[in-house]
Amino acid sequence: MQEKNPYKPMIVSGVLVVAACLSASLGLAGCEKEGGAEEVGRKLDQAAESAGDQLEATEKSLGEKAETAGQYMQDSAITAKIKTEILNDSELKVLQIGVTTNDGVVTLSGTVDSQLSLKRAAEVAQSNQGVTSVENNLVVK
């Protein structure tokens, strides 16, 4: 299911304003010349096509930015949840473990006291929804 673009009404109304202004100015200029109506029509067609192309490009750009922002928010939520779970786990010391998430890939870094803690941190990270994989860069000290 495709999400609605919240910026589309603003973009469409902006394009309509530009087209209306263009139409009015070209219409006035065309009235003064012989055969001007055809020229005005051609210019309006070009302007409408150009505005449509610009609208499509703007929609695509906004859609990509919204998708990127959505992924960033999802990654941030995953990181926060894992850090909270590590903090609440008596076997792990949260200050020794760094957690980052990028496109669902969780990276654990830092030092732990034992191999058991290293394994437990990876289990905590992997058990979260949205996690596609875990890169465990923890070192036993």
Side-chain angles (χ1 to χ4, degrees):
M1 186 166 111
Q2 192 175 37
E3 293 184 29
K4 277 188 152 184
N5 183 343
Y7 301 105
K8 189 171 184 174
M10 291 185 290
I11 295 167
V12 171
S13 63
V15 168
L16 293 175
V17 168
V18 169
C21 291
L22 198 62
S23 174
S25 63
L26 290 174
L28 290 174
C31 291
E32 297 173 4
K33 298 179 184 176
E34 195 172 305
E38 292 171 2
E39 181 67 17
V40 168
R42 186 180 62 74
K43 287 183 179 179
L44 279 175
D45 288 344
Q46 289 174 343
E49 186 177 335
S50 176
D53 292 345
Q54 289 176 356
L55 176 62
E56 286 178 25
T58 302
E59 283 179 335
K60 182 178 178 186
S61 175
L62 287 173
E64 290 168 355
K65 288 178 181 169
E67 186 176 318
T68 299
Q71 183 63 50
Y72 176 79
M73 295 298 290
Q74 184 178 2
D75 287 343
S76 295
I78 291 169
T79 297
K81 189 161 186 338
I82 292 170
K83 284 183 176 183
T84 300
E85 289 180 19
I86 289 173
L87 178 65
N88 292 328
D89 193 309
S90 60
E91 295 177 31
L92 303 172
K93 295 180 181 166
V94 72
L95 297 177
Q96 295 177 333
I97 300 173
V99 181
T100 58
T101 308
N102 189 6
D103 290 332
V105 177
V106 175
T107 302
L108 302 174
S109 59
T111 59
V112 291
D113 297 333
S114 67
Q115 190 67 30
L116 181 63
S117 293
L118 186 140
K119 184 178 176 188
R120 178 68 187 135
E123 289 171 355
V124 167
Q126 188 62 54
S127 69
N128 281 276
Q129 184 177 2
V131 174
T132 56
S133 66
V134 175
E135 291 182 12
N136 192 342
N137 296 330
L138 292 171
V139 176
V140 177
K141 196 171 189 181

